[in-house]
Amino acid sequence: MWTLPYGAWPSPVDAALATAHDGHPEYVGFVGDEAWWTEPRPTEGGRRTLVRRRADGTEEPVLPAPWNVRSRVIEYGGHPWAGVLTETGPLVVFVNFADQRRAGAG
C-alpha cells in the first residue's frame, strides 16, 4: 500500500467519462396520457432537451438543437416547462436557456 497526496491517486473516472453521463431525466410531467421530461445531452454542450413518451411506449425528443430547456429559475426550484393537451394536440411552453425567454411548441 502507498500513500499519495490528496487528489493525486489514479482513478478510472476522468472528466470525459463523468460528463458523458451528465445526470438523468428531470422535471417529469404529463401532457394528456403522455409522460414528458427533460433529458441531458452531454455531447451537445450540456443542452437539455424535452422528451415525450407516447401512449404506445415510443419516445422522441420534442425540441431539436439549439433549443435548451433549462431555466435559471431551476436553481430555486422552478419547473422549466409546462404543457397542456388541446383539441389540436399538445401545447408546451418552456424557457430557452440561451436567452431565458419563454417559447412555445405545439
Side-chain angles (χ1 to χ4, degrees):
M1 181 168 192
W2 65 91
T3 302
L4 295 172
Y6 178 80
W9 58 88
S11 173
V13 179
D14 61 8
L17 178 62
T19 58
H21 300 282
D22 178 28
H24 54 279
E26 293 183 310
Y27 305 103
V28 178
F30 291 90
V31 179
D33 60 354
E34 298 178 347
W36 291 49
W37 63 89
T38 64
E39 189 172 279
R41 295 290 193 255
T43 60
E44 297 177 26
R47 178 178 86 88
R48 293 195 75 86
T49 191
L50 191 58
V51 177
R52 73 196 278 189
R53 181 182 176 102
R54 295 179 181 270
D56 67 6
T58 58
E59 294 179 8
E60 66 181 8
V62 177
L63 300 167
W67 297 111
N68 187 353
V69 183
R70 186 171 155 212
S71 168
R72 296 220 184 261
V73 172
I74 292 171
E75 297 163 2
Y76 301 99
H79 206 79
W81 71 274
V84 296
L85 189 59
T86 68
E87 292 178 10
T88 59
L91 173 65
V92 177
V93 293
F94 63 95
V95 176
N96 186 37
F97 187 69
D99 58 13
Q100 291 298 290
R101 292 182 179 183
R102 68 188 160 120

